[in-house]
Amino acid sequence: MPQVAVMSPDGSVNKIDRDSNEALAALRQLTALMLKAALHDQFPGIRLGDAVADDSQFFVDSDKDDQQVSADELEALEVAIKGLAKNDTKVDFVKMSVEDAVKEVAADPFSKELIEEHAEDGQVAMYQLGNIKAVAVAPVMVYGNVVKNYRLLSVAGAYWKGMSSNPMLQRIYGTSFFKKEDLEADLQARQEAKERDHRVIGNQLDLFFVDPKVGAGLPYWLPKGATIRRVIERYIIDKEVGDDYEHVYTPVLMNLDAYKTSGHWDHYREDMFPPMDMGDGEMLELRPMNCPSHIQVFKHHIRSYRDLPLRIAELGMMHRYEKSGALSGLQRVREMTLNDGHTFVTLDQIQAEFSKILKLIMDVYKDFNINDYTFRLSYRDPKNTEKYFANDEMWEQAQRMLKGAMDDLGLDYYEAEGEAAFYGPKLDIQTKTALGNEETMSTIQLDFMLPEKFDLHYIGEDGQQHRPVMIHRGVVGTMERFMAYLTEIYKGAFPTWLAPQQVNIIPVSEDKHGEYADAVAKALKHLNIRAKVDHRNEKMGYKIRESQTQKTPYTLVVGDDELANQAVSVRKYGEKEQTSMSQADFTAMIQADIATYSREN
């Protein structure tokens, strides 16, 4: 296997396998360093910030007095990088005093800050390439001639150090590979990702928007997006109510003391918004999680063993203190609505309730056509039980029950020792995104700790007080993230039952057929089918093409023949052929489509 020379931030050089992830990261770090050199040479006086490589790409931050680097200038920068690579550029290691290093970048506050940040004992390690020196922060390939297959991808704005209080810099993204075919495959995957990006599709289909001027990370759901969300919410509530959940509404504000009792204030304070001082000693907090609220619902009445399992569910709004640089469309937001639920059970009821929740989750997945998922069952570390909630008997019994439930259902699963939360074992259901990435969609989490912290109890058959076990469960996560997931999975072509507009009706002639088109729409709306008539003064071909662009499941054209026969000409999304059928037959067809969640029989 061929090897390549890689320099570490301490100046040592080692040979590593070219096909390793470490070598690929070092290649991208070198390409980023070359981009810094190209920017330095082409734009005198430019200020250079971070140059970071990860497992998929690299980026370089910069700032100029005049107009920032534009996408149109990326090609010229690629040529400059090619010139550096052809000239057999080599990276050298330099150790400098902080004073000397700062002098070299006197006019660049960002480079100065990086130097001071990484200085040790008055010195700083630097990489030198061409006419620039940059702080050595990550391993880098030594010889520039390995940089052959690369591409500068895009430009974007990024706050310095990811903080909105800092200046906005220009971030240039790129990627680099050893093999040409790997680069081509990556670019193709990126194009697919761009076409599936829920932010792009959300804009094209007018589903939602986020405007940093009125609140970063706070999405506005437009009528079409709100329609899809409403369908999902009604669906999930009906499913849960049918599964014996009691749905509630609880406030988004809560006394800070509740989060101190729960432990959220101690463990998650950095993710919580600052408390609001009400002026009389009361401190209110925007809730980051719903569990303390549902605990209050449990505590509101004296509970008997006959009440258990007690299932409480809510589409609960929560707030997280996310940094501006971490926000992304609907996937990472500051305000979110969680499809949340908590069940309070006796210890003996854990296995049956766990199975019931899991069946609900899989049933929901089936309706949304989510088929690619795996199960991850997490236990405590048997060699380090001290860091978990102290009740060995409860842990052993609970883990045995969860495993038994999975086995009884005949499901394959991965057992992960040491990955349980400190308050109980859990099951994570991992789904694949449209681009093949793995993320946790659903969780079933046992909790022995919160019932103790909040002193929860029920009256047992023996007339004595007993401590319940709490089960946290999320079926589809937050509405925001689930919407992003579905948008990318469906590529914006939502199945009929979810589509914001299910039928688009186009009259051939507004004067002759507009009234009939309205009658068809009225009849469909009466059956709760989302139909609209396109009355715009545009050519019919344009209207049909736009209906396809908007990914409407059914486009109906009505003209003389349709009016005479009380029929419609039907064109399904993605198909070129039109089929004539009676209104009754079309109504029966679309009703069946909706009733079966657009699944093929």
Side-chain angles (χ1 to χ4, degrees):
M1 183 178 294
Q3 292 193 317
V4 287
V6 172
M7 181 182 293
S8 297
D10 62 3
S12 61
V13 176
N14 295 292
K15 293 283 187 109
I16 64 173
D17 292 339
R18 195 183 76 166
D19 291 340
S20 66
N21 291 332
E22 292 81 5
L24 192 56
L27 173 69
R28 290 181 179 144
Q29 196 69 45
L30 172 59
T31 316
L33 192 58
M34 286 183 165
L35 174 56
K36 267 197 167 186
L39 288 166
H40 177 272
D41 292 344
Q42 293 205 15
F43 305 106
I46 194 169
R47 296 174 287 278
L48 298 170
D50 287 315
V52 177
D54 59 25
D55 58 358
S56 64
Q57 59 190 5
F58 64 82
F59 68 78
V60 171
D61 289 342
S62 65
D63 187 40
K64 292 166 59 186
D65 288 330
D66 52 358
Q67 188 175 357
Q68 299 283 33
V69 178
S70 71
D72 294 337
E73 295 171 298
L74 295 185
E75 188 174 346
L77 289 169
E78 287 181 347
V79 173
I81 291 171
K82 185 176 182 180
L84 287 168
K86 277 190 172 181
N87 290 335
D88 292 331
T89 301
K90 177 176 177 291
V91 178
D92 294 312
F93 181 80
V94 181
K95 196 95 171 199
M96 302 179 68
S97 70
V98 172
E99 184 179 359
D100 289 342
V102 167
K103 283 180 182 177
E104 290 205 13
V105 298
D108 186 343
F110 309 116
S111 294
K112 178 176 179 291
E113 188 174 332
L114 288 172
I115 288 168
E116 293 171 343
E117 180 183 334
H118 293 279
E120 286 188 17
D121 299 325
Q123 292 192 309
V124 62
M126 309 280 280
Y127 292 138
Q128 180 163 349
L129 184 144
N131 296 322
I132 69 157
K133 294 187 183 75
V135 178
V137 294
V140 64
M141 206 71 67
V142 175
Y143 298 102
N145 58 8
V146 295
V147 178
K148 297 177 180 177
N149 304 296
Y150 58 92
R151 181 69 55 85
L152 298 184
L153 301 166
S154 61
V155 295
Y159 289 112
W160 175 238
K161 297 298 182 185
M163 297 177 63
S164 58
S165 57
N166 287 337
M168 175 71 77
L169 306 185
Q170 188 74 36
R171 177 166 291 180
I172 301 176
Y173 288 96
T175 192
S176 187
F177 290 87
F178 288 106
K179 299 176 183 177
K180 182 179 179 181
E181 56 267 32
D182 290 342
L183 174 63
E184 290 174 347
D186 181 76
L187 295 176
Q188 184 176 346
R190 288 178 187 275
Q191 180 61 31
E192 176 70 13
K194 185 177 180 180
E195 292 174 2
R196 289 186 180 272
D197 190 327
H198 77 280
R199 295 166 297 184
V200 175
I201 295 172
N203 182 58
Q204 292 170 343
L205 301 185
D206 213 24
L207 303 180
F208 74 95
F209 73 88
V210 180
D211 186 348
K213 294 178 182 177
V214 293
L218 302 173
Y220 284 71
W221 295 75
L222 294 168
K224 288 183 179 180
T227 298
I228 299 170
R229 173 172 170 165
R230 187 165 56 250
V231 172
I232 295 171
E233 289 180 342
R234 287 173 175 170
Y235 165 87
I236 203 70
I237 290 173
D238 288 346
K239 276 284 186 184
E240 290 175 339
V241 169
D243 221 26
D244 299 321
Y245 281 87
E246 299 186 43
H247 258 261
V248 299
Y249 295 100
T250 58
V252 297
L253 288 170
M254 200 172 196
N255 194 298
L256 180 61
D257 289 341
Y259 297 112
K260 290 181 177 179
T261 300
S262 68
H264 289 112
W265 184 247
D266 288 336
H267 296 285
Y268 304 105
R269 188 181 309 183
E270 290 185 358
D271 298 322
M272 298 170 67
F273 279 90
M276 288 171 270
D277 189 343
M278 304 308 293
D280 56 359
E282 183 183 25
M283 303 291 286
L284 294 181
E285 177 67 33
L286 280 168
R287 68 179 175 194
M289 296 182 182
N290 302 314
C291 20
S293 301
H294 292 180
I295 284 172
Q296 299 309 313
V297 175
F298 180 91
K299 291 184 70 173
H300 186 63
H301 294 293
I302 297 172
R303 303 295 180 178
S304 161
Y305 70 94
R306 293 187 180 91
D307 299 324
L308 307 185
L310 177 64
R311 305 177 183 95
I312 298 171
E314 179 179 12
L315 293 171
M317 184 179 290
M318 312 183 306
H319 294 80
R320 300 280 173 85
Y321 188 80
E322 297 279 5
K323 291 183 178 179
S324 298
L327 301 173
S328 177
L330 294 177
Q331 287 178 322
R332 199 76 177 266
V333 293
R334 286 174 171 157
E335 179 183 273
M336 64 219 73
T337 299
L338 181 64
N339 162 225
D340 209 359
H342 296 90
T343 304
F344 300 87
V345 297
T346 68
L347 191 61
D348 293 339
Q349 292 172 334
I350 288 176
Q351 184 166 337
E353 187 63 20
F354 178 86
S355 296
K356 183 180 179 70
I357 294 170
L358 188 51
K359 288 176 183 175
L360 170 65
I361 291 172
M362 291 192 294
D363 193 32
V364 170
Y365 281 14
K366 180 182 178 184
D367 288 343
F368 284 96
N369 199 27
I370 300 171
N371 302 306
D372 193 356
Y373 57 90
T374 56
F375 300 103
R376 187 180 188 88
L377 196 54
S378 298
Y379 307 136
R380 69 173 178 171
D381 185 349
K383 298 176 182 177
N384 187 17
T385 58
E386 294 80 10
K387 69 176 185 177
Y388 299 94
F389 182 80
N391 190 324
D392 291 344
E393 182 181 354
M394 189 176 287
W395 271 97
E396 293 301 324
Q397 185 171 346
Q399 291 179 171
R400 195 164 53 247
M401 285 180 169
L402 265 58
K403 179 176 172 59
M406 298 296 289
D407 291 338
D408 287 347
L409 291 170
L411 300 171
D412 293 327
Y413 56 94
Y414 172 75
E415 295 178 277
E417 286 190 344
E419 294 190 15
F422 64 90
Y423 47 82
K426 65 174 180 174
L427 176 74
D428 289 325
I429 304 179
Q430 307 295 115
T431 57
K432 288 288 184 66
T433 67
L435 302 175
N437 300 318
E438 187 175 86
E439 65 178 32
T440 301
M441 175 75 74
S442 311
T443 300
I444 308 174
Q445 171 77 64
L446 269 61
D447 190 339
F448 310 135
M449 184 189 71
L450 286 185
E452 182 134 331
K453 281 181 173 286
F454 284 93
D455 192 26
L456 303 186
H457 55 264
Y458 65 92
I459 306 302
E461 196 170 1
D462 58 3
Q464 302 300 310
Q465 290 187 354
H466 298 272
R467 189 80 70 200
V469 177
M470 187 175 179
I471 303 178
H472 307 254
R473 48 105 287 199
V475 177
V476 295
T478 68
M479 291 298 106
E480 290 73 15
R481 179 165 284 198
F482 191 52
M483 179 70 166
Y485 171 84
L486 292 179
T487 302
E488 295 182 356
I489 286 288
Y490 298 141
K491 211 171 182 177
F494 291 91
T496 306
W497 74 283
L498 281 177
Q501 182 179 339
Q502 296 166 323
V503 182
N504 187 31
I505 306 170
I506 301 173
V508 174
S509 166
E510 184 63 35
D511 293 337
K512 295 180 181 180
H513 314 116
E515 189 175 334
Y516 175 58
D518 286 334
V520 173
K522 185 177 180 180
L524 292 171
K525 289 177 183 177
H526 184 70
L527 298 171
N528 294 320
I529 295 168
R530 296 183 288 279
K532 286 186 179 180
V533 179
D534 190 342
H535 286 298
R536 292 176 302 163
N537 185 25
E538 300 284 356
K539 292 182 179 179
M540 190 174 70
Y542 173 83
K543 291 182 181 182
I544 292 174
R545 286 193 300 274
E546 188 167 272
S547 189
Q548 293 289 298
T549 300
Q550 289 296 304
K551 307 188 181 187
T552 309
Y554 292 94
T555 300
L556 308 185
V557 176
V558 293
D560 289 340
D561 289 344
E562 287 76 23
L563 176 60
N565 298 303
Q566 293 294 289
V568 290
S569 182
V570 183
R571 179 173 176 174
K572 287 186 178 182
Y573 171 72
E575 296 181 2
K576 294 182 178 180
E577 300 299 322
Q578 294 185 175
T579 304
S580 182
M581 62 177 67
S582 68
Q583 280 192 61
D585 286 347
F586 172 72
T587 300
M589 181 177 72
I590 191 172
Q591 283 183 311
D593 189 354
I594 294 168
T596 57
Y597 301 103
S598 306
R599 292 194 299 258
E600 295 291 334
N601 292 328

